[in-house]
Amino acid sequence: MGTSSAADIVTAVGGANNIESLTHCATRLRFQLRDASGVDPKAVEAVPGVMGAVPQAGERFQVVIGGGVQNVYNDIMALPEMKDGGGAAAADDDIDAIKARERAKGVRGKVAWIDSLFEFLSDSFRPILGALLGASFFITFMALMATLDVIPDWNAPGVTLDPSWAFINLMWQSVFVFLPLMVAYNATKKVGADPWVGFAIMAVLMLPGFTSLAEGVEPTALFGIEAAQVAIVPIFGIPMPIANYSSQVFPPLLMAAALGPLYKLLRKIIAANLQLIFVPFFAMLIMMPLTAFVIGPIGVYVGAVLAQALAAINSFSPFIFAIVIPLAYPFMVPLGLHWPINAIMLLNIQTLGYDFIQGPMGAWNFACFGATAGVLVLSMRHRDTQMRQTATGALAAGLLGGISEPSLYGIHLRFKRIYPRMLVGCFVGGLTIGVGSLIMGLENGVTTQAFVFTSLLTIPAFQPTGLYAIAIGLAFFTSMFLVIWSNFRTPEQQAEFEAARDAAEAAAAAEHVAPAVVEAAEPRAIDASDAAPAAAAVATATAVREVAVEVLSPLAGRVVPLSEVPDPVFAGGVMGPGAAIEPTGDTVFAPGAGVIAAAQPTGHAFGIVLDGGVELLIHVGIDTVNLKGEGFDVKVRNGDRVELGTPLVTFDREVIEKAGYPLITPVIVLNADDFGEVSPVLEGEIAVGASLITVDKKE
């Protein structure tokens, strides 16, 4: 995707002046718009390189790009119209006024806080997704070496590794031990406070000197929860619970949630010329003790309670747990609710030495990737270039990285037929783990000793590996075959796609006809008598004003605006400007001299490069491609030289009307950008060869 597509995205969301702010995550552009009510998601999705559009409450709008989102973001921010931050600098629309309008809208405001919560959770983790993914590969490598007996059980308590292997082990620990600091930075930035202040507040709880305050003090279970072990130490006579905050994520999230409002309050009560010094100081003065005494322990306790609740369910019935988790994740991920579950996985590994959630979660991931593979197969079969590219990138991100968002947002949420098929794959994978756990007597089901992304590369990290591999394989192929068998589009969507595809192929064929080919095309003998009626109908082909090309009517009938065509691709002008004809005859004639660039064997569409350079598409009827040529008698082939009045196709009106397809025929100028104004001449009754469209020269 280049600068042109970046500009198209900005235009599709209402222009730079409609953009209040723009950020991005791992796969999506996140727009905060001034007014999202007029943004058409389909228009956004039509931009090359866009995988999907996700409208949200509170004037938020997300555009799914995939792994190349950083480059697209950079291209957008480099646009001249975005140099001042888009519409963020507009004098009559300050941020407070915008927010006031949002609150006044009522309906959107009712759910805006939910979107804000999910975005807070999501944006606290997404920037570190790459680091987490890289660390998971180190973990998988260590697990594979242990499986092959190259090293001892690397994650077992009391095991001492050779210094070389110990160093490799530190490579993943660097991410997870200091994960609270990374989350604190991102979460604080999300709430509008200084992210380095949030980092510093959380860092106090992770200093060796802080943890050493508890030396010699026997840990106790906080409020009776064994997973929440703390040592109570008196500080100025006040009991302070001291816990191990490595890998914890709930404490930094709660800390940031409290720091955001405090920061705003301090900015209001402290003079502007003193804020640089005293806002960070008072924020740290208040939040460091508050986090150490209250927020940190509460975060540890909340995480432990959730972990204990899930552990109780898994202990009661690993069979039920293995089925419920894969079926729940397809609905949790779009809402961002999977991020807190990731925190519980980390806590399980820290307290139990293993995690029991990631195994069943793998069934969901591979069912998701299998559905994407099914879409890829169908896109290749249907000659859907854009979907093939989208599915290829999403499948690679899934199978190699374990990342489901490109599949989910780029494909699955756009085509509602996919979800039921994918859920069947989730169920089959979860059922396999559940039944296998019962047969093998596994008390905790499929487990892993480390936090990993469920991809092909991390299969060795799960135990038992064989059961896990069978389960995810069944989940993958079940979803894949169901999608292939039933299609991911509805019959109506499929017909609409094929019409747009055929029109696009005709346009592409026309673009590749070079001028030399036009001059050198070998004329094929065509009965001149066929052209006589049309030629006789044209008295003169002169124009009252100077035009580049005058397109004459290929049909007799009634001219109507394109907006009346019952097809959104043509009615919306996606293919280009032009006119439409409701035919009264049964033959389509060449509207001028030129070369046939694309003659569909089904007879429903023709691409013509007219002398003068205009590339024309004539689409006979709507959805008539479904007739597969029945009722059409094609008179020309690709590369034929035609003259004004040369018959292109004769169609059987009765066959088409009986099949229920409209006969209305759009006539589209495909390369209108190469010319000036493109104007339909009239509306109403028209004869073959009468003036239909004028195409002006470009100034």
Side-chain angles (χ1 to χ4, degrees), residues 186-268:
N186 294 328
T188 305
K189 184 177 181 180
K190 181 64 179 176
V191 297
D194 186 337
W196 289 112
V197 171
F199 184 99
I201 293 170
M202 194 64 216
V204 172
L205 278 62
M206 303 191 67
L207 288 172
F210 179 81
T211 54
S212 68
L213 296 175
E215 287 182 1
V217 179
E218 187 69 25
T220 182
L222 187 62
F223 299 118
I225 300 296
E226 288 298 326
Q229 292 289 322
V230 297
I232 308 297
V233 177
I235 303 294
F236 297 109
I238 304 174
M240 175 190 286
I242 297 179
N244 179 7
Y245 288 100
S246 297
S247 302
Q248 295 277 356
V249 297
F250 287 103
L253 289 173
L254 295 176
M255 179 275 298
L259 178 59
L262 175 63
Y263 228 76
K264 293 178 181 177
L265 175 62
L266 292 173
R267 283 172 174 165
K268 286 184 177 180

Side-chain angles (χ1 to χ4, degrees), residues 270-280 282:
I270 296 176
N273 59 339
L274 299 176
Q275 288 183 3
L276 178 63
I277 301 173
F278 289 105
V279 169
F282 282 112

Side-chain angles (χ1 to χ4, degrees), residues 65-131:
I65 301 297
V69 67
Q70 176 69 59
N71 295 332
V72 178
Y73 172 83
N74 292 340
D75 289 341
I76 290 177
M77 298 309 293
L79 294 172
E81 59 266 37
M82 295 293 292
K83 64 180 180 180
D84 294 323
D92 62 340
D93 269 326
D94 57 58
I95 301 302
D96 291 337
I98 292 169
K99 291 181 178 178
R101 288 200 305 271
E102 288 178 2
R103 288 191 295 268
K105 289 181 181 178
V107 175
R108 282 181 174 269
K110 290 178 182 177
V111 295
W113 70 270
I114 298 178
D115 281 339
S116 298
L117 174 61
F118 293 151
E119 283 201 9
F120 172 69
L121 294 172
S122 178
D123 289 351
S124 297
F125 287 94
R126 288 191 185 281
I128 56 177
L129 190 62

